[in-house]
Structure formats: structure tokens, C-alpha cells
Amino acid sequence: MRIIFVALFVSLFLILTIPLMIAEWIIGKFNQNLKDRSSIKIVQWAFHCVLFLSGTKITVIGEENVPKDEPVLYIGNHRSYFDVVITYARVPGLCGYISKKEIERIPLLNVWMRYLHCLFLDRNNIKEGLAVILAAINKVKAGISICVFPEGTRNDSSEDFLPFHGGSLKIAEKGGCAIIPMALNHTDDIFEAHLPWIHKTHIVLEYCKPIYPKDLSREERKKLSDIVENVIKETYYKNQALV
């Protein structure tokens, strides 16, 4: 029944909020800050509803590690569509996600994603990829956090991790913000491990201590991708026993 409730809620939300989309567009013409704040509250409310309907219980660790008064670059492992729902429901301020280009084709959802400063990446187009990184750097400089799952796609294999693509870390290096590594445990047990059903699941989300690239030595900056990846892996394996 959970899959029915979630699918019905998401469908109704996208359809019934069309007037809100129009209202938000009008608000943005006069007050972009108000549009940003209202859009994130609307979508966070919807994501909290999805988590409730799916029976997802979340243990959060290290939320005090997330700065509340500055943009950051969230970097996390990726096993489920619910990774976005879980993490976006908790961001303390404006935050855009870097998503695959295919998601931009989904009607109505793409509107809300643009309102939330999300960027769309064609993984087969290197030139466009660089443009997305530059756009994300500008978002950070404008005070908007960015979230990236550097495995590049959902990991639906038997492996715990896919290779990390470290190019996204340039967003923090050039944008001058902190990197917040995130470790998510058992999120694929909500849906992907039981297709097409949604199961009641207890997941763990841990925000690790911020890493400021500007405070690292030159040698450490060269190994930044490995440093972040290792922090996430160590945290992930540590928390496996908590569920």
C-alpha cells in the first residue's frame, strides 16, 4: 500500500500545485528571495509527507556539523531515489542539486527543480559538464548550497560504492565553501531492493565534519577527492551496524 500512497501523493502534489507554481513565478518577478524561501518550504513539506507515507525512520548524526549561515557543498553516496528526498528535507537553507539531464524532461517536477536552483548534467557532454560546474560555483558564491552525488548515478550493484568523480569538488575549491561529506545507510532498502514495493525502513544519515579546501595544504588539495571519499566510506561502514 505504501507505493500506492506515495505515488498518489506525488502525482497530486505536482498537479494540484500548478497554481502555486504560477504564483511562485509571479512572486519571483518582484521578490526573488521570497520565492526562494517559499519554494523550499513547500517542497520540504512535500518530502516530509513522502517520508511519512513510506514509513521511513531516520537517525541523523552530526547535524551540528552543517553551517547554518553559509553555503556548503554536500557530497554523499547514492543508492536510492530517496537519497534526495531524505537529504533535501533537512537542508537548513537554499540548496540546489546536480541531477542527470533526463530528469529535466519530467513535466512539473522540472519546474520545482528549477525553482530550487537545481542544475541538470549531461554526463556524456564534457563541455556541458564544465558549464554546470561553473554554474554551481556561481550558485555557491550567491549563497546557495549545492548537493552532488559523485558516483554519478544510483549505485544499484552489489558493490557498496561506485568510483567517485572528483570534478564536482571544484565547486567548493573555486566557490570558497566547505565540503560536507554525507553517509547514507540502507536507503536502497526503502524501494530499490524491493521493486516495485516500498518497505518501512530505518536509515542512518550522518553529516561528517566540514572540510575547507582553503585550509588544506597543496598536497592535501591534490588528494581532496580521495580524502572526501574515504571519510564517506569510513562513516558508511561504521554506521552499518546501527540499523
Side-chain angles (χ1 to χ4, degrees):
M1 293 297 291
R2 289 188 179 91
I3 185 64
I4 296 174
F5 290 146
V6 170
L8 183 60
F9 174 81
V10 172
S11 299
L12 288 175
F13 173 80
L14 291 175
I15 294 171
L16 296 179
T17 57
I18 290 175
L20 276 178
M21 293 179 189
I22 297 171
E24 291 288 274
W25 178 80
I26 295 172
I27 290 170
K29 293 294 182 180
F30 301 95
N31 190 330
Q32 182 62 42
N33 181 56
L34 178 59
K35 175 188 175 184
D36 285 340
R37 288 188 286 111
S38 56
S39 292
I40 190 173
K41 292 300 182 185
I42 292 167
V43 173
Q44 284 185 323
W45 170 82
F47 282 171
H48 280 293
C49 290
V50 169
L51 292 172
F52 173 77
L53 292 171
S54 64
T56 302
K57 178 183 177 182
I58 306 172
T59 293
V60 181
I61 303 171
E63 204 156 23
E64 69 278 2
N65 290 323
V66 181
K68 303 299 188 292
D69 55 354
E70 61 186 70
V72 301
L73 175 65
Y74 297 98
I75 297 289
N77 60 304
H78 195 22
R79 296 295 298 251
S80 172
Y81 288 117
F82 276 82
D83 294 338
V84 175
V85 178
I86 291 163
T87 56
Y88 199 84
R90 307 195 70 87
V91 293
L94 299 181
C95 183
Y97 280 54
I98 294 183
S99 177
K100 60 183 180 181
K101 190 76 172 179
E102 292 81 355
I103 301 297
E104 191 177 19
R105 302 186 188 128
I106 301 177
L108 303 180
L109 176 62
N110 55 12
V111 176
W112 280 116
M113 291 183 71
R114 292 190 195 103
Y115 284 179
L116 298 175
H117 299 279
C118 292
L119 301 169
F120 300 95
L121 175 66
D122 183 348
R123 290 169 293 188
N124 298 316
N125 188 323
I126 296 177
K127 184 177 180 181
E128 184 175 311
L130 293 173
V132 169
I133 295 297
L134 290 174
I137 292 170
N138 289 332
K139 295 281 188 186
V140 168
K141 290 181 177 179
I144 300 165
S145 295
I146 294 292
C147 182
V148 180
F149 298 108
E151 290 170 282
T153 188
R154 283 183 305 108
N155 179 2
D156 54 6
S157 69
S158 60
E159 300 295 326
D160 288 332
F161 290 87
L162 295 176
F164 271 42
H165 302 283
S168 58
L169 299 180
K170 291 293 182 184
I171 298 168
E173 293 183 79
K174 301 298 183 181
C177 70
I179 298 168
I180 304 295
M182 303 183 298
L184 295 120
N185 289 72
H186 300 288
T187 55
D188 56 324
D189 286 338
I190 302 172
F191 180 55
E192 282 76 6
H194 312 286
L195 289 172
W197 313 114
I198 289 177
H199 280 209
K200 183 177 181 179
T201 306
H202 178 199
I203 68 100
V204 177
L205 164 61
E206 179 163 354
Y207 297 98
C208 306
K209 291 184 178 179
I211 300 171
Y212 288 88
K214 64 181 180 180
D215 294 338
L216 302 178
S217 67
R218 181 176 297 180
E219 287 303 312
E220 287 174 323
R221 285 198 294 271
K222 290 180 181 178
K223 301 176 181 177
L224 182 56
S225 179
D226 291 335
I227 292 172
V228 174
E229 181 178 357
N230 288 335
V231 168
I232 294 173
K233 284 183 175 180
E234 289 172 5
T235 306
Y236 174 87
Y237 292 124
K238 170 180 69 73
N239 290 340
Q240 279 290 77
L242 296 181
V243 181

